[in-house]
Amino acid sequence: MNELNIREADRLEITVLMDNYTDIFLIESTDVCRRPQIPFFPQMLFAEHGFSCLIKVWAGNEEHTVLMDAAVTPACLFNNAELLKADLGKIEAVALSHGHPDHFLGLAELLKFVSKEQNKEVPLILHPDAFLERRFNIPVIGHPVLLPTLDESALKEARADLVNSEKAFPTANGFIHTTGEIERKIPFEKGFPWAESKVDGNWITDPFRDDQGLVIKVKGKGLVVISGCAHAGIINTVEHAKKITGTDKVHAVLGGFHLTGRLFDPIIQPTIDEMKRIDPDYIVPMHCTGWKAINRFAEEMPAQFMLNTVGTTYVFGGNL
């Protein structure tokens, strides 16, 4: 596998537009973790079981803005962006982590807005498998539950320029890359057996070939890896990012780690042990990581852990 020609960013900012958790009283900020300063009622940041973040990079005179995922409810996504004064009109491209509705249901409205602001199509980078039919087959429910499917025609109508790529793909002029399909090497990261997809007419345990993250290299700091749900495994994701960039130093790992629920309880500790081995400077578990796993990360990696809330901006790299 050839290493990516990844450009180093002087500075990186990641603003969480949507996540599962909000807290109006968590307002203390640091140089790295900036909490939203929004007046109380009736202005409120909304949380939902979804994920979306706005990513900005700077290098020299260059500035680029990319969106990863688009939450569930467009009204919530736009509400949060407005309160945070996040300029969605500057989005150059959108990267989709995978084809589950808590990451794509806000896409069409978001793309319509951005394409109208810019009067052009908006690149949407995704794996071809993001369009698969999917369902949950959870034993306690007793029957399969179909999930909304990503609608290619609706995306094109919203002026998406579809960039289907199984491999790592650059955006933001080479400062941000998708990971592409993630190599699976960690024995305990076996995916999500209750998730199924329809392949060649048959329902099978979802292989989540479309699951991908984003990777950015910050000058003098190392890699920042962002996952959507990490169905491929968060350790697999980080190790894959290291491999394709030829960089061992990991500065920060953010996003959903998919460790919620009894099915994943047994792998919480192995995941934490492996994350300690990787030893990032910062760890920010979000979305589908789950209450138990988030608390365990806080207990076992206290110097590196940051509790995420909707609207928080993470700043990595030097001052502008």
Side-chain angles (χ1 to χ4, degrees):
M1 182 183 295
N2 295 327
E3 293 177 5
L4 301 180
N5 182 22
I6 190 167
R7 301 177 66 192
E8 290 188 330
D10 294 330
R11 180 183 173 94
L12 165 67
E13 290 187 3
I14 302 166
T15 298
V16 181
L17 297 181
M18 186 55 65
D19 190 20
N20 298 33
Y21 184 61
T22 185
D23 187 340
I24 64 173
F25 294 114
L26 192 56
I27 57 176
E28 293 80 14
S29 296
T30 67
D31 290 341
V32 173
C33 178
R34 297 183 179 175
R35 302 295 184 184
Q37 305 295 315
I38 295 174
F40 294 157
F41 315 101
Q43 301 180 100
M44 294 292 292
L45 290 168
F46 299 142
E48 62 184 8
H49 187 88
F51 184 74
S52 179
C53 58
L54 193 69
I55 303 159
K56 295 183 179 181
V57 293
W58 290 264
N61 295 324
E62 291 187 64
E63 177 183 341
H64 301 278
T65 303
V66 169
L67 186 79
M68 181 180 186
D69 293 346
V72 180
T73 311
C76 293
L77 182 64
F78 282 104
N79 171 81
N80 291 354
E82 181 179 358
L83 291 181
L84 295 167
K85 296 181 172 56
D87 191 351
L88 301 181
K90 290 186 176 180
I91 292 171
E92 300 170 29
V94 179
L96 182 64
S97 64
H98 64 296
H100 267 175
D102 47 333
H103 298 259
F104 73 67
L105 280 179
L107 258 182
E109 291 302 314
L110 182 280
L111 290 165
K112 287 177 185 176
F113 175 83
V114 177
S115 62
K116 184 177 180 181
E117 288 287 299
Q118 300 180 5
N119 193 29
K120 62 180 182 180
E121 292 185 336
V122 182
L124 173 59
I125 308 163
L126 73 175
H127 188 286
D129 280 9
F131 293 102
L132 289 175
E133 291 181 65
R134 287 182 150 119
R135 69 186 188 185
F136 286 153
N137 196 355
I138 302 174
V140 71
I141 295 177
H143 59 86
V145 178
L146 287 173
L147 300 176
T149 301
L150 192 61
D151 187 337
E152 185 172 352
S153 61
L155 294 176
K156 290 181 177 178
E157 186 178 337
R159 301 191 70 186
D161 175 15
L162 297 180
V163 182
N164 289 289
S165 181
E166 297 178 0
K167 297 181 179 180
F169 193 88
T171 186
N173 203 19
F175 289 104
I176 301 173
H177 283 70
T178 65
T179 61
E181 287 186 25
I182 293 166
E183 194 172 7
R184 317 294 172 93
K185 286 191 170 183
I186 302 300
F188 61 80
E189 292 187 327
K190 301 181 184 299
F192 188 10
W194 294 345
E196 298 178 342
S197 59
K198 200 171 190 178
V199 178
D200 296 329
N202 299 310
W203 286 104
I204 63 170
T205 300
D206 201 329
F208 284 111
R209 293 174 63 245
D210 58 325
D211 183 83
Q212 61 181 346
L214 294 184
V215 58
I216 305 99
K217 190 173 184 178
V218 180
K219 186 179 296 183
K221 302 291 185 180
L223 301 180
V224 175
V225 181
I226 312 170
S227 67
C229 271
H231 287 294
I234 190 58
I235 305 303
N236 277 325
T237 301
V238 175
E239 290 296 339
H240 184 74
K242 289 166 60 178
K243 181 177 180 178
I244 63 177
T245 59
T247 304
D248 285 332
K249 174 57 182 173
V250 178
H251 186 49
V253 182
L254 308 88
F257 298 174
H258 216 286
L259 296 170
T260 189
R262 291 184 179 179
L263 190 63
F264 292 92
D265 281 352
I267 71 167
I268 291 175
Q269 190 60 52
T271 302
I272 293 173
D273 292 342
E274 285 294 299
M275 195 64 76
K276 287 179 177 178
R277 176 188 57 80
I278 293 169
D279 194 28
D281 298 316
Y282 300 101
I283 181 83
V284 191
M286 307 181 195
H287 182 44
C288 55
T289 306
W291 182 91
K292 184 182 293 186
I294 288 173
N295 278 270
R296 293 274 291 279
F297 274 106
E299 292 170 358
E300 298 204 28
M301 301 181 71
Q304 296 142 297
F305 173 85
M306 290 187 285
L307 177 64
N308 185 63
T309 57
V310 170
T312 301
T313 295
Y314 299 94
V315 183
F316 305 112
N319 295 324
L320 294 177

